[in-house]
């Protein structure tokens, strides 16, 4: 599809993108990660600091948005694990690992907008599994940030000042 890069204004736009998990590599992992299938259309990043991204591996932009996006996340089949304490920091540790692998030191976006969003989360099980599906959804956020250096401090590793997710259709299919 079409790709437009205007380095002086820090603007990147593209008509479509598809992101999927490398399922062959994921199957070889001791603990498989959730699988992801995502498609985005009519996307634009404005005010991207290209020098900061190149030298500091830090993604800073004024705006990020796509006119339409669809994502499906399938969680791996649950394996019996010992119960963890409520204060376990495993999600924060996973985010830190993700940032190390992506060689990303931080991410900050002033405005995020996905006016037409579809999202499905699936949990397989021996009985068939369950899912949660949002259709005709909209996601907006202000000052979205991801900073792994905040791990263990009072600020969360991933956050936004004003995030809002709305949907006109929510479908929950419980595990049967």
């Amino acid at each position: 599809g079409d790709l437009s890069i205007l380095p002086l204004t820090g603007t990147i736009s593209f008509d479509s993108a598809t992101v999927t998990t490398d399922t062959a590599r994921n199957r070889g992992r001791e603990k498989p990660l959730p699988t992801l299938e995502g498609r985005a259309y009519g996307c634009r990043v404005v005010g991207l600091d290209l020098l900061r991204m190149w030298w500091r591996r830090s993604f800073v932009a004024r705006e990020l948005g796509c006119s339409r996006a669809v994502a499906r996340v399938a969680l791996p089949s649950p394996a019996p694990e010992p119960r963890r304490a409520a204060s376990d920091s495993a999600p924060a540790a996973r985010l830190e690992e993700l940032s190390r692998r992506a060689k990303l030191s931080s991410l900050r976006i002033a405005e995020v907008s996905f006016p037409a969003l579809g999202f499905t989360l699936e949990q397989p099980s021996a009985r068939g599994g369950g899912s949660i599906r949002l259709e005709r959804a909209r996601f907006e956020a202000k000052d979205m940030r991801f900073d792994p250096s905040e791990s263990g401090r009072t600020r969360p590793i991933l956050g936004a000042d004003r995030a809002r997710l709305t949907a006109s259709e929510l479908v929950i299919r419980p595990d049967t």
Side-chain angles (χ1 to χ4, degrees), residues 8-117:
L8 295 178
T9 61
T11 301
I12 299 173
S13 58
F14 50 94
D15 64 343
S16 65
T18 301
V19 176
T20 59
T21 301
D22 182 344
T23 54
R25 189 172 178 188
N26 198 30
R27 276 192 301 271
R29 295 177 59 92
E30 183 179 325
K31 291 177 99 177
L33 299 171
T35 58
L36 168 69
E37 295 174 15
R39 291 181 303 281
Y41 305 92
C43 298
R44 186 175 159 122
V45 179
V46 178
L48 179 62
D49 187 335
L50 294 169
L51 291 176
R52 179 180 274 177
M53 191 169 90
W54 178 260
W55 293 109
R56 295 185 57 206
R57 298 286 190 201
S58 180
F59 186 99
V60 176
R62 219 173 26 256
E63 298 174 26
L64 167 68
C66 296
S67 61
R68 188 167 59 103
V70 178
R72 179 183 154 272
V73 176
L75 301 173
S77 296
E81 290 185 24
R83 291 191 71 79
R84 297 181 217 171
S87 64
D88 191 355
S89 63
R94 288 185 197 122
L95 282 173
E96 285 183 79
E97 176 65 20
L98 176 66
S99 70
R100 274 195 299 277
R101 287 181 180 208
K103 295 182 171 80
L104 182 69
S105 66
S106 67
L107 176 137
R108 183 175 294 267
I109 304 167
E111 288 187 44
V112 178
S113 176
F114 290 89
L117 177 65

Side-chain angles (χ1 to χ4, degrees), residues 117-132:
L117 177 65
F119 180 77
T120 302
L121 177 65
E122 299 174 346
Q123 174 66 64
S125 77
R127 300 179 305 206
S131 66
I132 297 173

